[in-house]
Amino acid sequence: MQHMTLAALLPTIGLAVLLSPSARAEEAPNSELTLWYQQPASDWGQALPTGNGQLGAMVFGGVDRERLQLNVDSLWDGYPLDPSNPASKEALPEIRRLMFEGKNKESVNLAGQTMMGRPQRIKPYQALGDLFLEFPGHGAVSDYRRDLDLDAAVAGVTYRHNDVTFNREVFASAPADCLVVRLTADRPASIDVKLSMTREKDAQCLAHPSDPNAILLRGQVDRKDDQGVQRGLRFASVVRVLLEGGRLTRDSGALSIEDADAVTILVAGATSYRGDEPEQACNATVAAAAKQPYDKLKADHMADHRRYFRRVAIDLGPADAAVTALPTDQRLAKVKDAPDPGLEALLFQFGRYLLISCSRPDTMPANLQGLWAWQMNPPWNSDYHLNINLQMNYWPAESTNLAECHLPLFDLMDGLVKPGGHIAEINYGARGWVAHHLTDAWGYAAAADGPWGIWPMGAAWLAQHPWEHYAFTGDKHFLRQRAWPLMKGAAQFVLDFLVEAPPGTPVAGKLVTNPSHSPENSFILPNGERHVFTYGATMDLMIIHELLTNCILASEILDTDADFRAECEQALAKLAPVCISPESGRIMEWIEDYKEAEPTHRHTSHLFGLHPGSMITAATPDYFEAARKVLERRGDGGTGWSLAWKINFWSRLHDGDRAHRLLNNLLKHKILPNLFDNHPPFQIDGNFGATAAVAEMLVQSHIRTEAGVYKLHLLPALPSAWPTGSVQGLRARGDCTIDLQWRDGQLVEAVLHAGSNAPASVPVVYGDTETAITLSPGKQARLAGDLKAK
Ligand code: FUC
């Protein structure tokens, strides 16, 4: 199919469209913020995501059949249960003894028999279903285009058929709480469409019982408990059509429209997860939305989205005009020939678009696929993996100015405190709360899947997030009310889980975790045995170091819990050190310098202290260099999220060119035509990790000074591939928002916007220059490239 530019299209479309306020032609999409294609999606990885945090749709853009694949954030199989295992607490001393004595195999066998959750598998997140729009006879069309305008958060389809131009717009409105589809044509009475819904199982599509203009998908996840009682969530979707002209007929579960001038379709979706009656909730939503004219629905939606999206603008430099004119899939394919800064900027903004679309206040947090999954059993259950993936989803939340999108993560953590506290007590005899390598919508907190699920560091890592929210916003009320209880509980578990390494071990007398492993990686013992488990794996030590340090700071800032602070200080002083291998010069991944079974393993867990932690910085030069050697060994490849993490690492090492090389590798090898990250399969963490990494290349603020303020490091990892550019609106710790402009690889201007919680003075670093800059709340400080005030 041929693409026609807007200018070429104008003479061919009727005046009615030009004058119609809802016509897509009226708002020329900003091409630098638009994904666009010349053909419909032939598979899910080409379809375009829309979402309002709670409800999502993948838009395929088919001509004679549009598929809108629907999701609701809370549609999970399963129900709350207690997976605790008292055998764990009893066996723990023996598991530890065996491990310390080097009997890894025996120790793991016993751990596998006693420490796993019961049940040890969780249930999946599931798709809601599909809404199909069939357009009889629309097989052969011309001038086809489908797109997703990230700035408007509107997906569109346009084409010509029999001399009529047809337009379709789709958006997921947060203010109206529903999906809105608008069908228009430039000739009256041209729209014939049939609507129907399906779901693979556990649901029926029916005529709506009280609304003649609607159909209803009604279902219940079929999940019975041990007593045979049905516990599955009930769910519903209501699809209502509003006609302009034409006729509507209804045939049980389908709606047929003929000869309409325009059609607005409202789609609501709900589950009983939060105790709502799903059908009632959908009916109320659709009834309220139906009272509003389409143009108002759209205007409110765009204003709501832009309130978040427009906080950050980015320009990474001009791209080759021949490339920028190409549809997104073709442009992506060209990255093989040369890097494309415009596409890199688009990927950055796409990550922000996705976070706004799948994680809003009062919605579920972004799962492994954000909000979008088409299966009944998606890969890895589309769950919340806690040994990197969920945390990575939220790396861009603060730095790219979407702090509100971070909130669902804290809600999830609040929900884990009780079940995680139960597991801490029953399985470990410990205080506080624990989570292992994954959780679900029901607060599953035990060790899941297999022995590699025995990784009780999930809560400890998660606890970094509310602290970071405080660090960026300076919101002390949040720190006291929400962050501190979460952090303290996570630290209490860790303090009780740590044990002293016995005499004869390399770190005798120091505190270590046991059992322990470096997520999903394995090593080879001198006797040739391959193992996953040891004690005191480096990542544990780094996570604990970060958590205890943050707890000490938080308790000082809040002037609270002095005894607990002393406990944290003592443990921190006794924590086993992170070691550098005398042989390889690399940070050791395990407590001993074991041989790596997979030197290029996707997890680079032993660099947690470099990123997202802040233990390793240029101020710790030995570790800094040893971290670089780890990355050299791991290589420049990896799964989607693995590459994204490495970009963040190289940024923290201030190697912009290397960071950029990996960003380019990600685009070359791990990005699907719709710009979703491909682990493979699709996993959204790589999108969020990449967005965070671009921010990290431009501004870093993780170094806290003795005075308790964060250094603002400008352009710490600017690659030579972005010689000239600008960014507005990045956030830094210490409640500061930053705009930067650079030319020929040099900073030209920086504007620091101090928030109401900003400190009176901050150290600002650029290249070799460091200057203290005076800030005053609510005011700007404008600096020249030499950091002198302008
Ligand atoms: C971790 C990773 C896998 C995958 C899964 C969802 O277990 O090691 O690569 O990303 O999470």
Side-chain angles (χ1 to χ4, degrees), residues 558-570:
L558 296 172
D559 193 16
T560 188
D561 295 76
D563 292 347
F564 181 69
R565 176 162 68 243
E567 219 188 314
C568 293
E569 283 165 346
Q570 282 155 19

Side-chain angles (χ1 to χ4, degrees), residues 482-545:
R482 295 208 63 186
W484 178 239
L486 291 169
M487 293 167 68
K488 184 178 170 192
Q492 280 175 320
F493 172 79
V494 156
L495 291 170
D496 289 354
F497 183 65
L498 285 167
V499 284
E500 216 176 274
T505 56
V507 288
K510 296 286 186 188
L511 292 176
V512 291
T513 48
N514 183 359
S516 164
H517 75 279
S518 195
E520 308 192 27
N521 204 359
S522 49
F523 53 88
I524 298 169
L525 286 180
N527 66 8
E529 283 177 12
R530 183 170 170 161
H531 284 291
V532 167
F533 279 89
T534 174
Y535 61 91
T538 301
M539 182 184 231
D540 290 359
L541 303 176
M542 288 178 165
I543 290 176
I544 292 170
H545 184 279

Side-chain angles (χ1 to χ4, degrees), residues 254-575:
L255 294 168
S256 293
I257 294 164
E258 283 176 313
D259 300 336
D261 302 330
V263 181
T264 300
I265 304 165
L266 303 171
V267 185
T271 74
S272 55
Y273 180 74
R274 294 186 180 88
D276 299 327
E277 182 50 55
E279 276 176 53
Q280 271 174 21
C282 289
N283 288 339
T285 299
V286 162
K291 289 198 188 109
Q292 302 184 48
Y294 174 76
D295 294 333
K296 177 156 182 356
L297 286 170
K298 185 177 170 188
D300 287 355
H301 158 70
M302 290 196 304
D304 171 74
H305 172 76
R306 286 173 173 162
R307 192 161 58 90
Y308 296 98
F309 188 78
R310 288 194 168 175
R311 289 176 188 167
V312 175
I314 195 163
D315 174 2
L316 298 179
D320 186 343
V323 168
T324 50
L326 291 174
T328 306
D329 47 350
Q330 293 178 30
R331 189 169 175 179
L332 184 63
K334 288 272 182 209
V335 174
K336 275 198 224 63
D337 306 333
D340 179 346
L343 196 59
E344 289 156 12
L346 186 65
L347 186 73
F348 166 83
Q349 289 288 30
F350 185 58
R352 297 186 63 249
Y353 167 86
L354 291 174
L355 197 61
I356 299 166
S357 304
C358 75
S359 184
R360 294 279 197 115
D362 299 323
T363 72
M364 306 286 286
N367 62 39
L368 281 172
Q369 300 196 180
L371 171 62
W372 303 277
W374 55 271
Q375 306 95 323
M376 294 296 118
N377 281 297
W380 289 285
N381 298 312
S382 223
D383 64 22
Y384 303 114
H385 258 59
L386 305 180
N387 63 8
I388 177 69
N389 318 88
L390 179 63
Q391 289 89 343
M392 185 179 280
N393 285 357
Y394 287 93
W395 288 350
E398 301 294 335
S399 59
T400 77
N401 217 332
L402 298 173
E404 299 92 328
C405 297
H406 214 166
L407 300 178
L409 183 66
F410 311 140
D411 296 340
L412 178 109
M413 292 172 69
D414 285 342
L416 269 169
V417 167
K418 205 165 160 214
H422 184 62
I423 299 293
E425 188 188 333
I426 303 295
N427 289 31
Y428 295 92
R431 294 170 294 167
W433 64 288
V434 64
H436 291 74
H437 92 299
L438 59 76
T439 187
D440 60 9
W442 312 108
Y444 189 96
D449 288 353
W452 65 93
I454 305 171
W455 186 77
M457 292 294 120
W461 186 344
L462 282 173
Q464 189 192 20
H465 283 256
W467 167 256
E468 288 286 16
H469 183 75
Y470 163 73
F472 276 88
T473 59
D475 181 349
K476 262 197 204 171
H477 180 74
F478 174 86
L479 181 65
R480 186 180 298 280
Q481 299 300 322
R482 295 208 63 186
W484 178 239
L486 291 169
M487 293 167 68
K488 184 178 170 192
Q492 280 175 320
F493 172 79
V494 156
L495 291 170
D496 289 354
F497 183 65
L498 285 167
V499 284
E500 216 176 274
T505 56
V507 288
K510 296 286 186 188
L511 292 176
V512 291
T513 48
N514 183 359
S516 164
H517 75 279
S518 195
E520 308 192 27
N521 204 359
S522 49
F523 53 88
I524 298 169
L525 286 180
N527 66 8
E529 283 177 12
R530 183 170 170 161
H531 284 291
V532 167
F533 279 89
T534 174
Y535 61 91
T538 301
M539 182 184 231
D540 290 359
L541 303 176
M542 288 178 165
I543 290 176
I544 292 170
H545 184 279
E546 180 87 15
L547 174 61
L548 297 182
T549 305
N550 293 344
C551 280
I552 293 164
L553 287 172
S555 69
E556 282 168 356
I557 294 164
L558 296 172
D559 193 16
T560 188
D561 295 76
D563 292 347
F564 181 69
R565 176 162 68 243
E567 219 188 314
C568 293
E569 283 165 346
Q570 282 155 19
L572 196 56
K574 247 181 103 172
L575 193 65

Side-chain angles (χ1 to χ4, degrees), residues 11 20 52 66 93 98 102 127 155 209 234 286 367 429 453 463 522 574 580 670 693 721 736 759 773 775 790:
S20 156
N52 65 7
E66 171 66 279
L98 290 165
R234 284 173 298 107
V286 162
N367 62 39
S522 49
K574 247 181 103 172
I580 296 174
K670 298 289 171 189
C736 215
I773 302 291
L775 296 179
K790 273 177 105 174

